[in-house]
Amino acid sequence: MSRHSKNNTANPVFTYAERKMIKDFGTQNSRVGSDSQRPFDFCYLCISRVIEPLTCEKGHLFCRECIIQNMVKQKQENEKLIAAYNQKKQQQEHKQQQQDEAQQKEKEQNFEKLDYQNDVIERRQFKSKVEEKLQGYINLEAEQKKKVLEKMQLKGKEMLTMSKKDLTCKNFWVPESQPEQQEEKLEQPKNICRCPANRDHEIKLKKLYPTKLNDNNGETKEVFCYACNKTLKYQKIAMSKNCGHVMCMSCISRICLPDKKCMVCNIDFDKKDIIQIQEAHSGFASHNQVEVKIFNPVMLI
């Protein structure tokens, strides 16, 4: 074994021992402790032990007071959004009415202008005919004068028929030819309350179900299953909408579902009445993985 074989600085790559010595090299694994985990019986709003728990249809657990205050606040915000929407809608309607009146007035002015232009054109045509007859009698460069008069007449007609917009469309520096600002499309806000834990579904007070936890009347910090009396922590946990007794999902499927009755209160329920309560999550991510990985890329020269 040669000298410096363990830490050989002459090699172009790191050895296994050198990689172990470097802390920030490659993929680093770390296990998250229980202090960093949110227990399933903690409220999603106050992050503390639930008091008079209520569960939504997606299995999110809240304190009764917390969720009611949150719903009241959402209702107040919705009322403000609806009031702002109605105000903007009235402004748009008033603006649209003004534009319609301006267009109607412009149409009337164009109609009057068109009548005047037709009279002017007829007079010019009559005048040109008289001049052509005179030029027919007077043979002094009749053909050239006629061409010049025709060009002038065509040019006059074009100038009369061209609108202001056609005249200014090529002049990009004119303020009137600048593109108009597009108005935002108004969307009417929905007067609904969304679940604060995961805002992808609607919640109502009548669809928040009372939840009964087996914690020995608050004497213990742990919650136990009503069937097997095991501590409920990271396993799949469920309850029935009809009674609210919280048990393991395995106990419900083995004991309650065959009889379609709760083993605690004997209230009937079906498979569709079961709500799976969300498991414990970490404090920084909405999943129950307890191992964290991070990869630090290192360029080897």
Side-chain angles (χ1 to χ4, degrees):
M1 188 173 181
S2 60
R3 189 179 180 184
H4 304 301
S5 60
K6 188 174 182 180
N7 300 324
N8 190 0
T9 55
N11 288 337
V13 296
F14 289 141
T15 62
Y16 177 79
E18 289 172 342
R19 284 199 299 269
K20 287 292 182 182
M21 291 170 61
I22 301 174
K23 294 181 180 180
D24 299 331
F25 180 82
T27 304
Q28 303 295 320
N29 298 333
S30 178
R31 189 175 180 85
V32 179
S34 60
D35 294 338
S36 300
Q37 301 285 325
R38 186 195 67 81
F40 87 95
D41 58 335
F42 271 41
C43 174
Y44 273 87
L45 293 172
C46 63
I47 317 297
S48 59
R49 191 73 176 272
V50 286
I51 302 171
E52 296 183 13
L54 295 175
T55 306
C56 71
E57 292 185 331
K58 297 290 184 180
H60 300 114
L61 206 63
F62 305 99
C63 299
R64 184 181 185 83
E65 184 179 356
C66 295
I67 191 62
I68 289 175
Q69 288 179 357
N70 184 268
M71 291 177 71
V72 169
K73 189 175 180 180
Q74 287 191 46
K75 286 286 185 182
Q76 292 174 353
E77 291 177 355
N78 291 340
E79 289 176 359
K80 291 180 182 178
L81 291 174
I82 291 170
Y85 166 78
N86 293 331
Q87 185 178 0
K88 286 183 180 179
K89 191 177 180 181
Q90 289 178 358
Q91 290 176 356
Q92 283 192 354
E93 288 177 354
H94 182 65
K95 190 176 181 181
Q96 186 66 32
Q97 186 178 359
Q98 288 181 343
Q99 289 178 356
D100 295 340
E101 291 176 358
Q103 288 178 0
Q104 185 67 23
K105 190 175 181 180
E106 187 178 356
K107 285 180 181 179
E108 294 175 359
Q109 290 177 355
N110 291 337
F111 181 75
E112 294 174 357
K113 187 177 179 181
L114 186 62
D115 289 343
Y116 175 75
Q117 289 175 357
N118 291 333
D119 293 339
V120 172
I121 291 170
E122 288 177 358
R123 289 175 184 177
R124 288 183 178 180
Q125 288 177 352
F126 178 76
K127 187 177 179 180
S128 63
K129 288 179 181 179
V130 172
E131 288 179 355
E132 287 176 0
K133 288 182 180 180
L134 289 173
Q135 288 173 359
Y137 293 117
I138 303 169
N139 297 323
L140 296 174
E141 300 177 354
E143 294 180 357
Q144 293 180 359
K145 287 184 179 180
K146 188 177 179 180
K147 290 179 180 180
V148 171
L149 284 171
E150 287 178 354
K151 288 181 180 180
M152 289 176 67
Q153 287 177 359
L154 290 171
K155 189 174 182 181
K157 287 181 181 179
E158 289 177 357
M159 291 296 292
L160 288 170
T161 54
M162 286 179 70
S163 63
K164 189 177 181 180
K165 186 177 180 181
D166 296 331
L167 292 171
T168 58
C169 65
K170 295 182 180 179
N171 303 329
F172 60 88
W173 57 87
V174 180
E176 296 179 358
S177 64
Q178 297 298 321
E180 296 180 356
Q181 184 179 2
Q182 295 182 355
E183 296 182 356
E184 297 181 358
K185 291 183 180 179
L186 286 178
E187 293 184 0
Q188 186 174 2
K190 296 180 180 179
N191 192 11
I192 60 174
C193 295
R194 297 188 177 276
C195 180
N198 190 358
R199 300 183 63 85
D200 61 347
H201 61 279
E202 181 184 357
I203 57 172
K204 296 180 180 179
L205 193 59
K206 63 181 180 180
K207 290 188 177 181
L208 293 172
Y209 305 100
T211 307
K212 298 175 183 177
L213 302 174
N214 184 14
D215 56 355
N216 294 330
N217 296 324
E219 294 179 359
T220 60
K221 294 183 179 180
E222 296 178 344
V223 180
F224 304 97
C225 174
Y226 276 99
C228 62
N229 207 25
K230 289 182 179 178
T231 304
L232 300 177
K233 201 168 185 181
Y234 298 111
Q235 61 267 47
K236 290 186 178 180
I237 307 162
M239 57 168 276
S240 171
K241 294 180 183 178
N242 301 335
C243 62
H245 290 107
V246 177
M247 292 179 274
C248 306
M249 192 65 189
S250 57
C251 293
I252 290 177
S253 58
R254 285 188 296 102
I255 301 171
C256 300
L257 278 181
D259 298 333
K260 294 185 178 180
K261 287 185 179 182
C262 177
M263 63 163 295
V264 182
C265 57
N266 290 328
I267 293 177
D268 297 337
F269 70 89
D270 202 354
K271 190 175 181 179
K272 63 182 180 181
D273 298 327
I274 296 174
I275 297 177
Q276 184 174 343
I277 298 175
Q278 295 293 327
E279 301 92 347
H281 299 319
S282 61
F284 53 86
S286 58
H287 55 75
N288 57 351
Q289 297 178 2
V290 296
E291 189 175 1
V292 181
K293 293 182 180 181
I294 186 171
F295 177 72
N296 295 323
V298 179
M299 184 177 66
L300 300 177
I301 301 175

